[in-house]
Each structure stands twice: as C-alpha cells, then as structure tokens.
Amino acid sequence: MYLGRLSTEAPILQSAPCWWISSFTWSPFKTTWLQAGIGEKMLAVYFDQPGDPENLYVKEIMKAHPGKGEVLIKVSASALNRADLLQRRGMYPSPEGASDILGLEAAGLVAGFGPGCKGQWKIGDRVMALLSGGGQAEYVTVPEGHLMPIPTDMMFVQAAAIPEAWLTAFQLLHFVGKVQRGQTVLIHAGASGVGTAAIQLARLAKAIPIVTAGTQEKLQLAAKLGAAAGFNYKEEDFSERVLDFTNGSGVDVILDCIGGSYCEKNLNCLSTDGQWIVYGLLGGGEVHGDLLAKLLSKRGSLLTSLLRSREKEYKEQLVKAFTDRVLPHFSQDRSPHVQPIIDSVYPLHRIVEAHRIMEENKNVGKVIIEMPPPP
C-alpha cells in the first residue's frame, strides 16, 4: 500500500500507534506482478548502471535460497538507508559474499531454513532482519542469529524501520561510545532513521541527547522524541549553541554522519576527553587545518564505525544485546516506550519515487518499501 507522506503532527510516543496520513494514492499491482512471487521466482529492485533514482527498476529473478545456518524470509516490507543511495550511485559496493540487491533491513515471515539451523525459529514466525544486502526483494536469506522477533502489536511496515537504523544507533552509543548516564550526546541528522533512534536510545540510557537538523519540522520531531535541545545548522553555528547549552564544557559524545564539513565545529564543541564518532561522510571526507593538534589538546578520541561490513559474529552479539536490552521497550505496554518513526510507505513499484524523497532530504524518519501482497 502507498500511504503517502505521513505527518509528524501526530503524537510520537503514546499508548497505541497513530499515523496521520497527509495524502493517499492507490495504484493496484498488475496480475503478473502478483504471480511473480510464486514458485522459484521473485521480484527485486535492480539497476544496470550506477546513477540517479531513475536507473532503478523492478526485475523478476530466481528466488533466494538459504545456505548453511541461514533462514529464508518472505519479505513484507523493507526500508531505505543512505547506504542504498550510495550503492545505487556506485559509491558503496556490497561486502564480499553479500547480495547485490539493495536493502539492509527487512520484516516478514520465516519461509524456510538452510542446513545447520539451530531451531530457534519456525515457519511463519514474524521476524525482522539485519542484512548486508537483499532486503528490497520478495525473499531474502539471513543468518539465523541476525533475526529478531517482531513485537505482537507492531505492523511489518513499522518493524522494517528498526534493524539497520536502530542497531546502528545502539552500536554507536553502547558498543563504540559506551555512553554513560548523564553524558551529553550530540546527534547530527536528528530526524533521520538513525537520529530518531539515537535520541530515544540515549534517553533510555539516561543520557542527554541534543541534535542538529535543517528544518523546524525536524527539530520539533526531535524534541517530541526527547531531545533536550535542537539547532538548525542552516541558520546558526551549532557549535556555539552547543557550548551555550553545556555552559562551555562541550559534549561528551558526538554521533557524526556528516564528516568533513563539520570537523571544525565538532572539535569546537567537543568536551575534554570527549568521543567523536564518525559513521558517515555526507559532508565529504576531506579535512583541512590542524585537526590532530586540536583533538590532542582536548585529549579527544576520534572513532569511526560501520555496521554493514562487520563480521557475522559481531552482528550476532549486537542483535542479541539489542534484543535483550531494547526490544522489550517497543511493546506498547512498556515504559519507557520507544518506537520507529515512519515518514512514508511506498509500494515496490514506486521505488524510484522513494529514493528521490530520501535523496532530496525530504523525509522525516524512515522511508518504507512494501512488497506486493500475496495472491
């Protein structure tokens, strides 16, 4: 289904899911598309040449088959990530051995098993998956240790927004940054999938999240999620505002997906012994000036992290820790409660439009791709 853009005027944290729909458009799937998921074929997002969103199309290919220790998932929904856009442009190839199909997270039903599975899942289980690729297709295979159960009161389109974004934010805060109670965390791109997750996870850890974003709408969303302060990087020097907020001491942790263009300002507002964690380079990778001297003077730590290329065992440990410590808080009856933020939901055949929305930085929260319904 296509739900159009979802308004952020609705309550964000409440006792039951509530999405305000600003527009609604329905375009029925052709019969041939519905039938393509039957048997040994499946539909998947493809591109023949790197480039713009218009290079994307939906292609019928052979259905994925699980290998040793892998589970086959019948995908109901996937979600877009910046990595998908970079891969489409030819700037972020799949790790060795991973699917070339886009999609780093998915939600759906267990549909089969490869040899050597340990029996922790059964056919028909509702699961969400952390992937190295392949999520934007009707079927995907995944190591069984990279699966998480979907809370009973959550829809597939919501669950699809969790694995990559929330596990990335959880990894940055806890595995890399080891955030502590009372620390101040500066989160760039605060209304992104990772950003909205990081705000809620920082609050869950009793830390103090503050954010940057480019519109008032995005800053309002961040505030509703628990950000203690937010700064519009287009209108003000966020580093000076951060120093004002922290009474001159600076922030303990920076989650930075921007990179080069924010270097000087990040250093300016980093606290003594602070941790600056780079996990993306949307603002480029070039750095000029005396970066190391300034970092050394603050005894600061510059850390970098990627999730997609991590080894299987690391991801299993991450998934288990997240499942134990965070997943229960997605249930509606749990307090404090956390939830994924959905910007919009597009059917698979509108994949070009979905990529364009994210490419133009128009989304507030996650952009979801929904697979064709079963016949």
Side-chain angles (χ1 to χ4, degrees):
M1 60 180 174
Y2 170 58
L3 298 182
R5 300 297 303 286
L6 305 181
S7 170
T8 56
E9 296 175 3
I12 300 301
L13 300 180
Q14 53 183 17
S15 60
C18 179
W19 294 349
W20 286 23
I21 302 173
S22 58
S23 63
F24 184 90
T25 303
W26 171 250
S27 298
F29 295 101
K30 297 179 181 179
T31 302
T32 53
W33 283 54
L34 291 174
Q35 297 300 318
I38 298 176
E40 294 302 309
K41 296 293 185 71
M42 69 176 187
L43 297 175
V45 173
Y46 256 79
F47 60 94
D48 296 321
Q49 296 293 332
D52 295 332
E54 286 70 24
N55 289 16
L56 296 170
Y57 65 99
V58 177
K59 179 180 180 180
E60 185 180 86
I61 62 171
M62 295 301 296
K63 189 169 77 175
H65 289 279
K68 184 177 180 180
E70 291 185 332
V71 177
L72 178 68
I73 305 302
K74 175 68 176 74
V75 178
S76 292
S78 183
L80 291 189
N81 290 278
R82 290 287 171 183
D84 296 316
L85 276 60
L86 292 172
Q87 184 175 336
R88 191 203 69 228
R89 294 186 206 142
M91 300 169 63
Y92 190 22
S94 303
E96 184 177 354
S99 171
D100 289 331
I101 299 170
L102 301 178
L104 301 183
E105 53 195 342
L109 300 174
V110 172
F113 302 94
C117 287
K118 299 176 181 178
Q120 62 189 106
W121 308 101
K122 63 181 185 297
I123 298 294
D125 279 349
R126 286 164 28 97
V127 293
M128 47 190 173
L130 175 66
L131 306 169
S132 296
Q136 291 170 28
E138 290 185 298
Y139 289 88
V140 67
T141 60
V142 57
E144 61 178 339
H146 297 180
L147 291 173
M148 297 174 284
I150 297 175
T152 55
D153 50 6
M154 182 176 287
M155 296 183 292
F156 287 123
V157 291
Q158 294 171 295
I162 293 175
E164 174 68 18
W166 281 77
L167 285 166
T168 293
F170 182 78
Q171 176 201 212
L172 296 174
L173 287 170
H174 294 288
F175 279 42
V176 181
K178 296 179 173 56
V179 68
Q180 302 296 311
R181 175 192 288 262
Q183 288 189 324
T184 303
V185 182
L186 173 60
I187 302 164
H188 292 310
S192 65
V194 173
T196 55
I199 293 168
Q200 297 177 74
L201 289 171
R203 280 297 184 190
L204 205 58
K206 308 298 185 184
I208 304 167
I210 60 178
V211 305
T212 64
T215 69
Q216 191 61 31
E217 178 189 17
K218 293 180 178 182
L219 291 175
Q220 289 172 352
L221 170 63
K224 288 179 180 180
L225 293 175
F231 314 114
N232 189 329
Y233 65 86
K234 294 180 180 179
E235 298 178 355
E236 55 192 342
D237 184 337
F238 71 79
S239 68
E240 294 300 326
R241 293 295 306 278
V242 167
L243 289 172
D244 290 342
F245 178 83
T246 59
N247 296 317
S249 64
V251 293
D252 302 291
V253 179
I254 300 175
L255 303 188
D256 180 17
C257 58
I258 307 301
S261 62
Y262 276 13
C263 279
E264 185 174 344
K265 292 178 180 178
N266 281 335
L267 274 172
N268 187 45
C269 65
L270 184 68
S271 69
T272 301
D273 297 317
Q275 298 183 91
W276 172 12
I277 305 171
V278 178
Y279 70 99
L281 297 173
L282 296 177
E286 291 189 8
V287 176
H288 303 283
D290 53 351
L291 167 68
L292 292 180
K294 292 179 179 178
L295 191 63
L296 181 62
S297 70
K298 292 191 171 188
R299 302 194 303 270
S301 299
L302 176 58
L303 306 169
T304 65
S305 183
L306 293 172
L307 179 54
R308 187 183 190 184
S309 58
R310 296 275 189 177
E311 61 274 12
K312 174 184 172 183
E313 293 74 18
Y314 178 95
K315 292 180 180 179
E316 289 179 352
Q317 294 172 10
L318 181 67
V319 167
K320 186 180 187 308
F322 182 86
T323 300
D324 292 343
R325 296 166 59 180
V326 179
L327 196 58
H329 291 277
F330 285 97
S331 296
Q332 294 295 331
D333 59 356
R334 187 67 177 260
S335 181
H337 173 64
V338 300
Q339 68 181 57
I341 305 303
I342 310 298
D343 175 84
S344 47
V345 180
Y346 290 89
L348 183 65
H349 70 278
R350 298 187 70 162
I351 187 66
V352 171
E353 186 176 350
H355 269 246
R356 193 181 301 118
I357 286 291
M358 178 171 276
E359 186 126 301
E360 294 173 358
N361 204 29
K362 293 180 178 179
N363 59 300
V364 180
K366 296 287 286 188
V367 177
I368 306 300
I369 307 301
E370 194 169 38
M371 296 300 126

